[in-house]
Amino acid sequence: MSMAEFKGKVKNIQDTPFGYTLSVIGGKWKMVILYLLAENPPVRFNDLKRQIGVITYKTLSTQLKELEADGMVQRTEYPQIPPKVEYRLTKKAEQLMPLMEGMCDWGMEHQPKED
């Protein structure tokens, strides 16, 4: 399936595969979270928070719950004190990695060069 199949037929972007993809990975933080989980699996909640920096605990928690509900993130809770929770990408999310690599390639090509 490609974008060409929908040319001139789109009444609502949410009804397209592109719209579905955006609903799963769209927003300010989800791609950042997926990138960090791809780079250093598994990752604990506080490590994610520390790596992102400017995100609030509530926002990070909400984004992780949404990614988990969409089948993109696997949450593993260990029964210990203090509680230990780790996050990693699912197979479904790993299928996005070629797209993310392509985005990195695009960024390398188009990022302004410092002189």
Side-chain angles (χ1 to χ4, degrees), residues 94-111:
E94 288 173 355
Q95 291 178 331
L96 276 176
M97 291 309 106
L99 296 173
M100 292 178 74
E101 289 290 339
M103 291 172 69
C104 288
D105 292 343
W106 185 91
M108 286 193 58
E109 184 176 335
H110 296 286
Q111 185 176 21

Side-chain angles (χ1 to χ4, degrees), residues 9-86:
K9 301 175 189 173
V10 176
K11 303 246 187 292
N12 187 338
I13 192 71
Q14 286 83 10
D15 297 335
T16 66
F18 182 78
Y20 169 74
T21 303
L22 284 181
S23 75
V24 173
I25 63 170
K28 185 174 181 178
W29 300 111
K30 288 182 180 176
M31 290 293 286
V32 173
I33 293 167
L34 293 172
Y35 177 86
L36 292 172
L37 291 176
E39 288 291 310
N40 308 298
V43 182
R44 294 180 69 177
F45 183 89
N46 284 333
D47 292 335
L48 270 175
K49 168 69 173 97
R50 199 170 10 265
Q51 290 177 49
I52 297 171
V54 295
I55 193 171
T56 66
Y57 286 100
K58 181 178 191 255
T59 300
L60 178 56
S61 178
T62 300
Q63 297 292 284
L64 285 166
K65 285 177 184 172
E66 288 176 9
L67 287 166
E68 186 180 8
D70 286 327
M72 303 296 286
V73 170
Q74 176 187 347
R75 180 181 188 271
T76 305
E77 187 173 341
Y78 298 93
Q80 64 186 52
I81 300 202
K84 178 181 174 184
V85 178
E86 293 179 338

